[in-house]
Structure formats: structure tokens, C-alpha cells
Amino acid sequence: MHDLQELIDNNARWADGIKQKDPDFFAKLARQQTPEFLWIGCSDARVPANEIVGMLPGDLFVHRNVANVVLHTDLNCLSVIQYAVDVLKVRHILVTGHYGCGGVRASMQDRQFGLIDGWLRSIRDLYYEHRVELGKLPTEEARVDRLCELNVIQQVANVGHTTIVQNAWHRGQELSVHGCIYGIQDGRWKSLDVTISGLDQLPPQYRLRPQ
């Protein structure tokens, strides 16, 4: 109980600090959430979405999973994307990986880790696809970090391939998907310059006509 009480005390100090700056903050927050951003990131405890980009509660709609993967069979992730796009009308989806990701590293090894092996299969496939490029890098850390970037790039494409995002574009909704990465060692968050904002940026085989 002591550990939980410590968290409760921390929360009280945090809430009081927010109210001192803006006495009506929580009252306004309770009435409506209107974020412009959906963050799809890694579950890693060292990657706190709001804090990294200096945003308060209500500014980011957040989905996190191991290694920031977007699978066409993951109803959890797809439900988050649909709610963010169709209901909240976010304008930006931020797919954010991080250097040194343990999930990415695991996908490069020949060990079994359990249930997560299936979850990481798509990254293992990506590793195999880029094995020649990655094999030219001088160290394991360099290979892990590059695969972290390649994983983000692939997940941006996966988001763009969803009917959710494509139907938003068909409706003329302003929506961009960005690939970003965070450095745990220096705290810096940066763009990987792989933004897609419309159907014309997708390969033809992934462009779907509206119903």
C-alpha cells in the first residue's frame, strides 16, 4: 500500500500544480477532448508521449504497444485509429519509434521470448528484407537503431494502407501520417521525413476506391 500511496501523493501534487497555472483546466478537459494528434508509440516506460513533445493532457490521443507496430489484424490499434480519425478528427498521426527498442532488438535474435515472438514477426520479416543493408553497418547497436527507423517507416505505410485513413482522404479530410523517432540517450524527438498526406503518395496496389 505504501507504493500506491506514493503515487497518489505524486498525483495530488501534479493536479495541484496544473490548477495553480490554470484553475479551470480540468473542468474544461472534462467537457471535451479535442486533440489534433494521434500518437502511435512503443510501450517502453522510458518513452512518455505527452512529456516528450511538451503537451498537456487532452493534446494527444495515444495508442502504445511493443515496438509501435500497426498490423491490419490488430483490432485494438485499428479501433484507436478509427476513433481518432472519424470521431476526434485528428489532423496528424505520429508513428513514433525509439532508438534501442527492445522489441526490435528481440526480432533480430534467434532466441524465443514467448507470446511476443508472434507479435514481432512482422519486424523479423523486415529485418530479413533489409539484411544486406543492415549487414553493412559496423555494430549491433547501429543495426538495431537503423531497423528501428525502418520499422517506423513500415508502420507509417501500414497506417496509410488502412481503409480508415484512406476513407478520410476520400472525404477530403485533412490528415497526415508522420514517421518520427525518439532518442532515449539524448531526449530528442525527430521526424524521419516520411510523411504521407494523400492517396497519391501510396503505391497503386494499396490505393482503395471508396465504397
Side-chain angles (χ1 to χ4, degrees), residues 18-59:
I18 294 288
K19 285 190 287 188
Q20 286 177 8
K21 294 178 183 178
D22 183 355
D24 297 325
F25 178 82
F26 290 109
K28 290 183 290 187
L29 195 64
R31 287 194 291 269
Q32 187 178 12
Q33 64 166 335
T34 55
E36 291 190 17
F37 304 92
L38 165 61
W39 174 288
I40 299 176
C42 183
S43 298
D44 194 302
R46 301 167 295 175
V47 189
N50 287 69
E51 293 181 36
I52 287 173
V53 290
M55 289 187 168
L56 291 169
D59 293 335

Side-chain angles (χ1 to χ4, degrees), residues 167-186:
N167 284 337
W169 288 332
H170 284 307
R171 293 192 299 267
Q173 188 171 332
E174 185 176 343
L175 179 64
S176 297
V177 186
H178 311 271
C180 307
I181 198 156
Y182 174 68
I184 291 174
Q185 292 184 333
D186 61 9

Side-chain angles (χ1 to χ4, degrees), residues 28-200:
K28 290 183 290 187
L29 195 64
R31 287 194 291 269
Q32 187 178 12
Q33 64 166 335
T34 55
E36 291 190 17
F37 304 92
L38 165 61
W39 174 288
I40 299 176
C42 183
S43 298
D44 194 302
R46 301 167 295 175
V47 189
N50 287 69
E51 293 181 36
I52 287 173
V53 290
M55 289 187 168
L56 291 169
D59 293 335
L60 282 181
F61 196 59
V62 177
H63 174 77
R64 295 170 70 176
N65 62 56
V66 175
N68 42 275
V69 174
V70 178
L71 298 176
H72 68 280
T73 53
D74 181 7
L75 296 182
N76 184 357
C77 184
L78 294 179
S79 296
V80 170
I81 294 172
Q82 182 167 30
Y83 188 80
V85 172
D86 293 351
V87 179
L88 298 178
K89 307 295 184 185
V90 299
R91 297 175 60 190
H92 303 276
I93 298 176
L94 311 173
V95 180
T96 297
H98 67 93
Y99 291 120
C101 179
V104 171
R105 188 185 303 275
S107 72
M108 301 170 70
Q109 299 175 4
D110 60 3
R111 296 170 53 198
Q112 289 192 36
F113 294 91
L115 184 62
I116 197 170
D117 294 329
W119 178 256
L120 298 175
R121 170 60 188 272
S122 65
I123 306 179
R124 187 177 295 278
D125 293 341
L126 193 66
Y127 177 43
Y128 182 75
E129 180 183 345
H130 292 275
R131 64 192 181 281
V132 175
E133 172 193 344
L134 294 168
K136 294 177 182 177
L137 297 175
T139 65
E140 179 186 350
E141 290 306 311
R143 291 188 287 274
V144 170
D145 286 350
R146 178 55 181 157
L147 188 55
C148 290
E149 294 178 341
L150 292 170
N151 181 47
V152 168
I153 293 168
Q154 181 60 59
Q155 306 316 322
V156 167
N158 289 349
V159 173
H161 297 165
T162 65
T163 55
I164 301 162
V165 168
Q166 293 192 27
N167 284 337
W169 288 332
H170 284 307
R171 293 192 299 267
Q173 188 171 332
E174 185 176 343
L175 179 64
S176 297
V177 186
H178 311 271
C180 307
I181 198 156
Y182 174 68
I184 291 174
Q185 292 184 333
D186 61 9
R188 297 291 183 173
W189 181 75
K190 68 178 183 181
S191 170
L192 290 176
D193 297 321
V194 288
T195 295
I196 54 175
S197 302
L199 286 163
D200 60 323

